[in-house]
Amino acid sequence: PSKNIEIVNSLAFEAHENTNGPRVFSFNVTAGNKVIEKTYTNSLQPTIYVKFLEPAIITFARLVNRNTSAVFNLQVGDSLIATSEYELTAGQNLPAGEYRFELNAKNQRNIFMDTLFTATIVVDNTKPQLNIVPAKDEVINKSTVLIRLSFNEDAKLDKILLNSNNIKETFSTINNK
């Protein structure tokens, strides 16, 4: 062992505090069901619920219709007080369609979010059409029956009852339709 101890290499690390803006912890919509990466609601005046990981002040919140580019600015309430939970409303009925929800906020140190929070919300108050095979009252002479449920749009199945038994777990999906 050498008695000549010296510095061979030196590294310096810097970590700055208070450099990150607020982050969204959770996001939900009135009567919302998430299917793949879209949140569906049948409410024409949906309330959007946003929770942050820390108190924040929303500086920008809107819905943009993907087909028409119509913009609906969302009402935030008391936007000057930092809080962790918000309820946002459009203040009017929205036409059925697909919307891009955009949100920006800053924390109590005036540091803004790194990127806009975005989500896709689909307002759809029409019931999907369902085609069932085998058809109602069809007579089948087999012990094993293939049942097919086909929807005309994305759908979320909560339960499928056959003779009062929930058989949802026996079904698989193709494109959630």
Side-chain angles (χ1 to χ4, degrees), residues 7-166:
I7 296 176
V8 175
N9 199 355
S10 174
L11 295 174
F13 292 95
E14 289 186 29
H16 301 277
E17 62 181 47
N18 299 330
T19 58
N20 290 330
R23 290 183 293 162
V24 173
F25 173 68
S26 68
F27 155 80
N28 205 346
V29 178
T30 303
N33 284 310
K34 190 166 185 178
V35 179
I36 307 177
E37 292 300 318
K38 297 178 181 179
T39 302
Y40 289 81
T41 181
N42 61 2
S43 175
L44 296 178
Q45 277 193 340
T47 299
I48 300 171
Y49 302 93
V50 179
K51 289 185 184 180
F52 290 94
L53 290 172
E54 64 177 302
I57 297 171
I58 292 178
T59 59
F60 174 82
R62 70 181 188 174
L63 290 169
V64 180
N65 187 301
R66 295 224 187 225
N67 293 329
T68 66
S69 298
V71 175
F72 298 88
N73 291 316
L74 299 174
Q75 299 170 357
V76 179
D78 192 353
S79 60
L80 299 177
I81 299 174
T83 183
S84 297
E85 297 183 22
Y86 282 93
E87 292 183 13
L88 310 170
T89 58
Q92 65 186 22
N93 281 352
L94 298 173
E98 186 172 310
Y99 294 86
R100 177 181 162 97
F101 170 60
E102 300 174 345
L103 171 80
N104 198 359
K106 63 181 180 178
N107 60 20
Q108 293 173 313
R109 296 175 304 276
N110 281 333
I111 301 172
F112 285 84
M113 297 174 70
D114 296 334
T115 58
L116 282 180
F117 175 81
T118 61
T120 300
I121 298 173
V122 178
V123 175
D124 183 1
N125 63 341
T126 59
K127 293 183 179 181
Q129 295 174 1
L130 172 61
N131 182 31
I132 302 174
V133 175
K136 183 177 180 181
D137 297 328
E138 185 175 334
V139 177
I140 300 169
N141 296 326
K142 296 180 182 178
S143 60
T144 304
V145 178
L146 176 67
I147 300 173
R148 177 172 298 207
L149 306 176
S150 301
F151 294 89
N152 66 329
E153 59 185 52
D154 289 348
K156 177 183 176 186
L157 292 176
D158 292 324
K159 61 185 172 181
I160 302 170
L161 297 178
L162 179 64
N163 296 330
S164 300
N165 294 321
N166 188 357

